[in-house]
Every structure is written in C-alpha cells, then in structure tokens.
C-alpha cells in the first residue's frame, strides 16, 4: 500500500512492482492457488478504491493522477506483476520436475538394460550345461532332475522376458 501511495505521489523510485512480485512469490510459497491470489488482489483493489472513494475530497490534494497513470491502472500493474511472478515460479518448478523425471527415466532405462543383459547371461550357460549333462547318459533320476532344472530355468527366462517387456 505504501509503495502504491508513493507512486501516486509521484515518487519515481517506488518499489511497487518489486513488492507485487514478492507478493506473488510469497503466496505461491504459502500454497495459494492462482485463483486465490487473483481473489485476494481483487479484494485488495476493491478495498483500496473504496477507501479512496471515502476520502475523495482529500485525494486530489495529495495524489496527482494524470490520464496515463490512474489508480486502477497502478493496481492492475501490481496484480499483473504478482500473478506473473507466481506463474513464472510455478512454470520453473514444473520444468525442473520434468527435467528430474527425464533424468530418472534415463536411469531406469539404463538399469533395465543392464539388468536384462545380466539376467539373460546367467540363463544361457545354465541351459547349455543342462544340455551337456543330458548328452552324458544320466540315470533316470538324474534326467528327471535335469529336466526339472531345465523347466524352471526356461520358466525363469520367460519371467525375465515378461518383466523386461513391461519397459
């Protein structure tokens, strides 16, 4: 409010726009939605104008208002600056989250690729070893054990493929 009054008094170094940006920043940190910020600014604008209307006789003595810088224009400038800051920070946060998500996706892809390679590399030697054992003329009990290991290894291979297809 003080910064607004300073501008209306003709002071050029008033931090009105900086104050409005800090407002948007703080409201975002406080968890306000854009609609909440707009409502708050609209309410502030109405109250400010109502107070000025009540004091209208004295206003002309201390606030120089020309055609290009009306009180409402100044309040609108503040609202725009506050909302611009809010939206800018929200977009930066969104972009940072998207970047982090992209990095995590790349890491996930690398992990799954390495996992795929390592798991597949374990199964093939087991199956090769089982085929060699079958060629040695195992007993009936040994053959049942070899076939069970082979069945379970192939099942594990299918599970690995299914898991990696979820990618």
């Amino acid at each position: 409010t003080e910064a607004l009054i300073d501008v209306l008094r003709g002071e050029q170094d008033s931090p009105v726009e900086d104050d409005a940006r800090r407002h948007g920043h703080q409201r975002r940190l406080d968890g306000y939605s854009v609609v909440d910020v707009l409502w708050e600014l609209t309410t502030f604008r109405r109250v400010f104008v109502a107070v000025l209307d009540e004091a209208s006789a004295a206003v002309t003595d201390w606030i120089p208002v020309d055609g290009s810088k009306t009180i409402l224009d100044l309040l609108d400038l503040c609202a725009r600056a506050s909302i611009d800051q809010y939206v800018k920070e929200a977009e930066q946060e969104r972009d940072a989250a998207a970047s982090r998500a992209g990095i995590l996706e790349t890491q996930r892809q690398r992990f799954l690729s390495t996992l795929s390679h390592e798991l597949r590399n374990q199964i093939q030697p087991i199956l090769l070893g089982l085929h060699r054992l079958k060629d040695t003329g195992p007993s009936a009990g040994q053959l049942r054990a070899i076939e069970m290991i082979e069945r379970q290894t192939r099942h594990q291979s299918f599970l690995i493929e299914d898991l990696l297809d979820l990618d």
Side-chain angles (χ1 to χ4, degrees):
T1 306
E2 289 176 24
L4 286 172
I5 292 170
D6 289 346
V7 168
L8 293 171
R9 285 183 177 157
E11 295 181 20
Q12 299 298 322
D13 295 331
S14 176
V16 69
E17 205 165 341
D18 291 339
D19 285 354
R21 290 192 181 286
R22 275 193 295 281
H23 174 268
H25 169 74
Q26 188 58 49
R27 291 307 181 258
R28 195 175 149 288
L29 292 179
D30 291 342
Y32 283 51
S33 71
V34 172
V35 173
D36 293 336
V37 176
L38 283 170
W39 180 251
E40 181 182 56
L41 291 168
T42 301
T43 303
F44 174 74
R45 184 179 200 252
R46 288 178 181 166
V47 168
F48 194 85
V49 170
V51 168
L52 287 177
D53 282 345
E54 286 180 21
S56 62
V59 168
T60 57
D61 294 339
W62 58 273
I63 300 178
V65 178
D66 61 17
S68 64
K69 193 174 255 189
T70 66
I71 292 169
L72 295 179
D73 289 339
L74 189 55
L75 291 172
D76 289 344
L77 171 79
C78 291
R80 259 192 319 274
S82 180
I83 295 299
D84 283 348
Q85 185 66 31
Y86 183 101
V87 169
K88 182 176 103 183
E89 289 180 17
E91 287 172 350
Q92 288 171 343
E93 186 177 301
R94 180 204 60 212
D95 293 345
S99 176
R100 284 191 305 273
I103 290 168
L104 290 173
E105 177 60 20
T106 300
Q107 290 173 342
R108 184 184 76 83
Q109 290 289 336
R110 280 191 207 133
F111 171 76
L112 287 176
S113 176
T114 301
L115 178 67
S116 167
H117 177 74
E118 293 302 322
L119 289 176
R120 287 179 182 140
N121 280 346
Q122 298 301 316
I123 290 177
Q124 292 308 315
I126 294 170
L127 291 173
L128 180 63
L130 291 171
H131 284 287
R132 287 198 169 180
L133 283 174
K134 276 185 179 179
D135 292 341
T136 62
S139 68
Q142 290 172 333
L143 185 58
R144 277 193 308 276
I146 290 170
E147 288 172 348
M148 179 186 64
I149 294 170
E150 184 178 22
R151 219 178 17 259
Q152 294 303 316
T153 303
R154 288 191 189 285
H155 182 68
Q156 185 177 7
S157 176
F158 293 134
L159 289 175
I160 291 169
E161 291 299 324
D162 287 346
L163 174 67
L164 297 173
D165 284 343
L166 292 176
D167 181 27

